């Protein structure tokens, strides 16, 4: 993974949102891989997520709200699907996201907090995702949900390793539930195969989604009591981007 | 229940849709109740739904598609909800509708048919419901789903009595699942209590929803092999309207 694009993405995100750019501080970097840039850098970065200790309540609140957003996006994709077959698949995907949302809400209730109160602070930043989708056509909407949920589900599941053991196990079980990604990939692959020009458009669109998604990911670290953040954060984002690249590759799209 | 409004509604629906109006044939009528029109006419009409024998495949196809429509409506209500608390309740209701849809799809797969093919013929008439909702504001959307799903779930569950015993038991179990209605009623009641003038507007809107809902109900009889339809159909619709009136009454709205 070539490091340059990550830095650009993060800086672009910073400018976008007007937040302080702390990623430009020189931090120890993992050795950049020398082979083709598409190689997953997992071996090299060795991120130990258990060193990051999220506060359970805001962590769950943000994770639950994000799933609600995915649900809303998928429901919109169902409502605007061009065929009943597509509706069928996507409604299953919507059910997966909704199930994750409700199960994370149940975790919040176990902690005896009011889910709506806990989720509320995360609404504005997360709603930016949906605002970006609102101008999208159906294919772009599908890719947006695929890219964003793919990145964030894996990322929040990794972060959840730092929660108390029992909570960690349950929450990772919720977030790791698959199903939606495969459905989105199948729909997208079929559409790309049928529609000339869609591939180029989606490649461009896919790149545009990364900034906001990384902002959300970074805000999760801020919401958490993430000790030693500076040293750990760049490999985490490197991994996130690599994950994104693999997802784009699977669709034949240039990340 | 005064019989006149039913006839008007049905005739209006006929004109609306351009279908042949067979409800105007003089059929034996149940005695009209003499007391206040809000009394449920169940005792008087004695509809025996087991005499109506729906064809399982189109019956399930229509029922499944209708649940998909409710899901889409509820998902839109989630996405446009004014508060996170409302989102929470409505997302649960959306999950209920989605579960019903998926479980009815599973029944179709048991019969080794392709759900999308079976649902397709019912899409245009059902989509008319959603088209009517598309101009609605959030409160009207909630009432539309409450009224329509309340009427049609009960009605399809009654019709399902005529299915083969095993299928009937499972399908009624699916359709009778509650949860969504109570959530919608709670949200609507709270809104009506807060917003002066909403009650009048919703009363009018509620009345406007009945025609299309009855058209859907009637098309289910047509799709079925409903022997002796003419004699049985008016009491069925009388019961549907009474059910609607009770639902409006519960919200303090004049049906």
């Amino acid at each position: 993974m070539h490091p340059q694009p990550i830095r650009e993405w993060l800086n672009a995100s910073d400018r976008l949102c007007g937040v302080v750019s702390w990623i430009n501080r020189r931090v120890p970097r993992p050795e950049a891989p020398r082979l083709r840039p598409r190689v997953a850098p997992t071996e090299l970065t060795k991120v130990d997520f258990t060193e990051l200790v999220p506060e359970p309540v805001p962590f769950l609140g943000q994770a639950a709200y994000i799933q609600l957003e995915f649900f809303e996006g998928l429901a919109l994709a169902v409502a605007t699907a061009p065929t009943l077959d597509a509706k069928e698949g996507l409604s299953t995907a919507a059910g997966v996201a909704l199930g994750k949302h409700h199960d994370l809400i149940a975790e919040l209730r176990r902690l005896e907090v009011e889910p709506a109160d806990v989720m509320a602070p995360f609404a504005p930043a997360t709603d930016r995702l949906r605002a970006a989708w609102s101008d999208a056509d159906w294919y772009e909407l599908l890719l947006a949900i695929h890219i964003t949920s793919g990145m964030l589900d894996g990322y929040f599941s990794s972060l959840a390793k730092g929660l108390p053991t029992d909570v960690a196990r349950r929450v990772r079980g919720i977030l790791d539930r698959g199903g939606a990604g495969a459905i989105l990939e199948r729909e997208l692959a079929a559409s790309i195969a049928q529609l000339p020009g869609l591939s180029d458009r989606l490649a461009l669109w896919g790149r545009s989604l990364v900034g906001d998604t990384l902002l959300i990911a970074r805000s999760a670290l801020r919401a958490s009591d993430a000790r030693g953040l500076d040293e750990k954060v760049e490999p985490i984002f490197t991994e996130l981007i690599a994950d994104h690249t693999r997802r784009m590759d699977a669709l034949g799209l240039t990340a």
Side-chain angles (χ1 to χ4, degrees), chain A:
Chain A
M1 193 74 214
H2 196 279
Q4 186 58 27
I6 308 170
R7 192 168 295 276
E8 280 173 12
W9 271 315
L10 287 169
N11 288 346
S13 306
D14 280 340
R15 280 195 301 274
L16 208 59
C17 211
V19 297
V20 177
S21 169
W22 44 256
I23 201 72
N24 277 331
R25 296 185 213 162
R26 292 290 156 194
V27 293
R29 304 174 53 80
E31 190 188 356
R34 306 233 169 98
L35 301 171
R36 40 194 299 271
R38 296 294 162 90
V39 166
T42 316
E43 301 304 317
L44 293 153
T45 55
K46 293 192 186 62
V47 181
D48 183 0
F49 276 96
T50 56
E51 288 178 36
L52 296 169
V53 182
E55 281 292 333
V57 168
F59 175 86
L60 289 169
Q62 185 174 26
Y65 193 83
I66 288 172
Q67 294 301 325
L68 183 61
E69 201 91 342
F70 293 152
F71 165 70
E72 291 183 16
L74 286 164
L76 178 61
V78 172
T80 54
T83 67
L84 267 173
D85 272 330
K87 268 184 198 285
E88 269 316 287
L90 290 169
S91 75
T92 300
V96 172
L98 188 60
K100 289 180 179 182
H101 170 67
H102 285 152
D103 291 349
L104 292 167
I105 291 289
E107 289 297 327
L108 282 169
R109 292 206 194 278
R110 270 172 184 261
L111 299 174
E112 295 178 355
V113 293
E114 187 46 56
D117 298 343
V118 177
M119 289 191 291
F122 299 104
T126 317
D127 288 349
R128 282 173 47 91
L129 288 179
R130 199 174 57 189
W133 305 344
S134 67
D135 292 330
D137 70 13
W138 189 72
Y139 309 102
E140 290 166 347
L141 175 63
L142 260 55
L143 185 65
I145 302 167
H146 182 49
I147 293 295
T148 313
S149 64
M151 285 172 83
L152 292 183
D153 278 8
Y155 171 73
F156 274 81
S157 175
S158 295
L159 276 188
K161 289 178 192 170
L163 294 170
T165 316
D166 265 19
V167 187
R169 186 180 42 77
R170 288 196 306 270
V171 168
R172 300 199 73 208
I174 295 166
L175 291 170
D176 291 348
R177 265 178 230 155
I183 291 166
L184 289 165
E185 190 175 296
R186 193 177 60 222
E187 283 297 336
L188 283 164
S191 302
I192 288 168
Q194 274 176 15
L195 300 171
L198 182 59
S199 172
D200 289 346
R201 184 152 62 83
L202 287 184
L204 198 65
W205 171 246
R207 284 194 286 274
S208 79
L209 298 166
V210 176
D212 279 349
T213 309
L214 290 181
L215 269 185
I216 302 257
R218 200 171 60 183
S219 71
L221 295 176
R222 290 196 174 164
S224 309
D225 171 25
R227 288 187 290 269
L229 193 60
D230 289 353
E231 295 75 33
K232 292 179 186 75
V233 81
E234 185 139 347
I236 292 175
F237 285 113
T238 306
E239 200 158 333
L240 257 182
I241 301 290
D243 188 36
H244 167 69
T245 305
R246 282 191 293 273
R247 205 166 285 112
M248 293 285 274
D249 274 353
L251 288 165
L253 302 175
T254 312

